[in-house]
Amino acid sequence: MPVYRQVTRTDGATEQHVIPVEVWFGGAKRVVFRIARQPTVKSVTIDPERALPDVDRGNQTWPR
C-alpha cells in the first residue's frame, strides 16, 4: 500500500506527501523521508483522508 502523510506546521501550513507502493516491492521494511525543519513541525498524520482501511485510527497522528 502507498503511505499518505500530512505534515502540519506551527504556522498552520500543511504539506501532503506520498510514499509510493513501488518502494515496498524491493523488500524495503522502512523508508527515511526528510522534511525541512522550518517552519517548525506541529504534527505528522498518516492517511489524513482515511482512504485506507485501518483497525486502530488512534495511532495515526504524532504530535511534536
Side-chain angles (χ1 to χ4, degrees):
M1 301 289 262
V3 176
Y4 301 100
R5 183 177 68 176
Q6 177 177 301
V7 177
T8 303
R9 304 291 185 155
T10 54
D11 67 357
T14 60
E15 305 165 15
Q16 303 289 332
H17 304 271
V18 177
I19 299 172
V21 68
E22 290 80 14
V23 170
W24 317 118
F25 290 163
K29 301 270 188 220
R30 62 182 164 158
V31 173
V32 175
F33 198 99
R34 298 185 187 274
I35 57 173
R37 289 182 179 209
Q38 297 298 323
T40 307
V41 173
K42 180 179 178 182
S43 64
V44 176
T45 303
I46 303 297
D47 191 22
E49 302 294 326
R50 296 182 172 199
L52 303 173
D54 192 345
V55 173
D56 181 7
R57 295 219 180 256
N59 62 0
Q60 301 294 95
T61 301
W62 292 270
R64 173 145 188 173

